[in-house]
Amino acid sequence: MAQIKIYGLRTTIEHHRTLLSKALHNAAVAALNLPPDKKFQRFIQLEPDDFIFPADRSSNYIIIEISLFAGRSIEVKKALIRMIFKNIEQTCGIVAQDIEITLVETPKENWGIRGMCGDELTLTYKVEL
């Protein structure tokens, strides 16, 4: 399980949404071994007054927060982060300087999915990678 939130200026999100979605999903499937049909993304469009960031970032600046089940190795998490940077730059032209990524891991029992606690689910993929 991975839930992805993407924050950015409204104009940036509107311009890049489709390709950002593809870049992020491809990275999650490849690095986390998620099934291709498991896509959970939320794009949060912000107006300039609501998105304050340093002057050394461009208007393409985005913040990506990924909530996921705990259990992946450090190597897998680093591979995911590196793949996201690479995919976004290749597909959207947004440079790494304008991308920040945070992974937030929580135990499965802290999730509620389809009427069940996450640790009671039967998953079609492995979390402990």
Side-chain angles (χ1 to χ4, degrees), residues 7-112:
Y7 299 86
L9 290 172
R10 177 174 304 282
T11 54
T12 302
I13 297 294
E14 288 174 353
H15 182 73
H16 294 288
R17 182 188 347 261
T18 301
L19 292 176
L20 274 171
S21 175
K22 181 178 179 180
L24 288 163
H25 186 63
N26 288 345
V29 169
L32 301 177
N33 202 29
L34 294 179
D37 64 332
K38 298 295 181 188
K39 187 181 206 182
F40 302 96
Q41 300 175 346
R42 292 180 302 271
F43 287 87
I44 296 102
Q45 302 177 7
L46 300 164
E47 298 302 328
D49 287 345
D50 298 320
F51 195 42
I52 312 300
F53 51 85
D56 65 345
R57 307 304 196 278
S58 80
S59 62
N60 282 329
Y61 176 66
I62 56 173
I63 298 172
I64 299 164
E65 294 178 357
I66 304 174
S67 298
L68 62 162
F69 289 157
R72 274 94 175 182
S73 68
I74 291 172
E75 293 79 20
V76 166
K77 292 182 281 188
K78 286 184 174 188
L80 173 63
I81 289 169
R82 289 183 181 115
M83 200 171 299
I84 289 171
F85 282 129
K86 178 182 168 204
N87 287 2
I88 291 176
E89 185 158 7
Q90 286 180 344
T91 62
C92 303
I94 298 174
V95 297
Q97 174 72 12
D98 282 332
I99 304 167
E100 291 191 20
I101 304 163
T102 304
L103 304 181
V104 180
E105 293 182 287
T106 54
K108 291 180 197 174
E109 66 269 14
N110 289 1
W111 290 67

Side-chain angles (χ1 to χ4, degrees), residues 107-124:
K108 291 180 197 174
E109 66 269 14
N110 289 1
W111 290 67
I113 302 168
R114 299 187 313 267
M116 300 174 72
C117 293
D119 62 341
E120 298 168 357
L121 292 171
T122 300
L123 300 174
T124 59

